[in-house]
Amino acid sequence: MKKLSWLFLIALFTLFLISAISIKDVEAIPAFARQTGHACSTCHFQSFPTLNAFGRAFKAGGYTQIGEQGKIEDEGLSIPNVLNASLIAKLRYQKTDGTKNASDQSNDKSGTNKGELQFPDEASLLLGGRAAENIGFYLEASLGTGTDTFANFKVPIKLFEVSDTYIGLIPFTSATGGASHGFELLNTGSLVMQIPWDARTAISAQQYLGLSGDATTSQAEGLTLAIAHEMFFVNGTLWGPVHGKIATGTDLSNYIRAAVTPNIAGWDFALGAALWGGETKVGASDTGSANTETIYQTQAAAFDAQAQGEVGGMTLGIYLSYANAPKKDTGSTKTNLFNDSTTNDKNAAAVAVQLGVIPNKLTLGGAYRIGNAEESSSGKLSDSKTATTKRGDNALMLAAKYMLTQNVQLQLSWESMSGDKYDSVLNKSEGTNRMTFVLFSAF
């Protein structure tokens, strides 16, 4: 084990040296950088994927802005002369300190308790950009056996642009983005694709509740109407908690999001709120199948804020979030998507910070999240609490991020979980400490 640790440290040091002596003005080349002719740092705060004000403007405009790249134009036609693409890959190693397999207490460690190399953790082909003068598109096509090709897809259509205010309609579908995939500009965790650190549930209340980022609760497809200005954005969405060819009809849930985004004394501030509501009846898409329906209730609320600027020559980002999902009605046969408990609401609050010690190169970060979780009957309780007891579930995260180039990133994080949720044998076996090493690249 000591030998492996030394090899790991030597590998990190070697990568640092290679980066330090490499050319410093390397420009990133993912899909949007190719289209606009700008480096990745033009749109991203400190590092990808978090957005700065310019990045928000590009996204709000439906990915249609084009730079030096050539265009093919004719009446009713304006597209780049090449299809812009990127390969996104995330390789991850995770180690937790649990003692046994969660379902087998008699055998040795397994999974992340033993140390697990996830190669890759994520891999996708990203296509996107200008489809017409007023229409853009974004496609994240997952790679690998059994994966969903159209994992995340949307087509922003600009209806009007008046006094620098964008008004657009956005049809979308997402495997993990949730209703916010239609339109979201902040880095607080409302959208999993725009979070500053890989340890998503430790840094964001929305991520902890599964409002975005969770493969079970964050499937979504629908239609978003968005209004955006450099000082604010607001959008409303009709959506269903499904992904792919699913029968929902027009009986859809709703999602409302609003935020103000002022620039004060050189600082990029934001303050927002979001509300999920309604319910969706999901039936079988095959007309030859039984006429069964599942009714999904989608109630939740979130409040968030962020500040991005400079302190002492170093970039600083601060992200705050709070989210709540109400309990399910007693005796209800409906599926309460974000909280299936009939006894307790589910909520969380989080603060996350990232400090650019070496701007656009080395970033240090930390986060603290408080939340609650209800122990299931399979939790193998080791104390006197019942299976419906509301239990504390807190997380502390410390992390570092190093940019080998603008489009290749190393990230190391450590999480420590605490609270009486971990009094149970099951959760003890899953561990209370987690170390994660990530190589994140976009080519």
Side-chain angles (χ1 to χ4, degrees), residues 374-376 381 383-391:
E374 189 170 283
E375 191 69 76
S376 67
L381 300 177
D383 54 35
S384 60
K385 295 182 179 180
T386 67
T388 57
T389 297
K390 189 174 183 178
R391 292 173 172 255

Side-chain angles (χ1 to χ4, degrees), residues 1 93-102 105 107-116 394 396 413-418 422 424-436:
M1 184 64 189
Y93 176 82
Q94 281 194 326
K95 178 70 172 68
T96 51
D97 67 345
T99 56
K100 298 291 183 180
N101 183 290
Q105 294 293 300
N107 291 314
D108 290 335
K109 298 178 181 180
S110 62
T112 57
N113 286 337
K114 191 174 182 66
E116 183 176 78
N394 309 320
L396 170 68
S413 64
W414 171 79
E415 299 166 77
S416 177
M417 281 67 77
S418 62
Y422 300 95
S424 73
V425 174
L426 173 63
N427 290 314
K428 282 180 179 177
S429 68
E430 294 173 348
T432 57
N433 292 279
R434 175 166 53 224
M435 186 274 288
T436 303

Side-chain angles (χ1 to χ4, degrees), residues 42-156:
T42 305
C43 286
H44 296 288
F45 179 74
Q46 294 183 332
S47 61
F48 64 88
T50 51
L51 297 178
N52 58 23
F54 187 89
R56 293 200 303 268
F58 175 74
K59 186 176 181 181
Y63 314 115
T64 57
Q65 179 183 339
I66 200 165
E68 298 177 357
Q69 188 178 65
K71 297 192 295 285
I72 300 173
E73 293 190 292
D74 200 348
E75 184 178 352
L77 179 68
S78 180
I79 59 174
N81 58 6
V82 296
L83 179 62
N84 293 303
S86 297
L87 175 64
I88 310 296
K90 186 170 76 171
L91 312 180
R92 187 167 71 175
Y93 176 82
Q94 281 194 326
K95 178 70 172 68
T96 51
D97 67 345
T99 56
K100 298 291 183 180
N101 183 290
S103 60
D104 183 358
Q105 294 293 300
S106 61
N107 291 314
D108 290 335
K109 298 178 181 180
S110 62
T112 57
N113 286 337
K114 191 174 182 66
E116 183 176 78
L117 179 62
Q118 299 155 3
F119 194 88
D121 171 55
E122 295 178 16
S124 60
L125 181 65
L126 191 151
L127 306 173
R130 188 184 182 104
E133 187 174 357
N134 64 333
I135 301 174
F137 78 101
Y138 171 97
L139 167 63
E140 184 182 343
S142 293
L143 303 177
T145 305
T147 56
D148 189 345
T149 303
F150 270 60
N152 297 290
F153 180 70
K154 58 182 169 183
V155 182

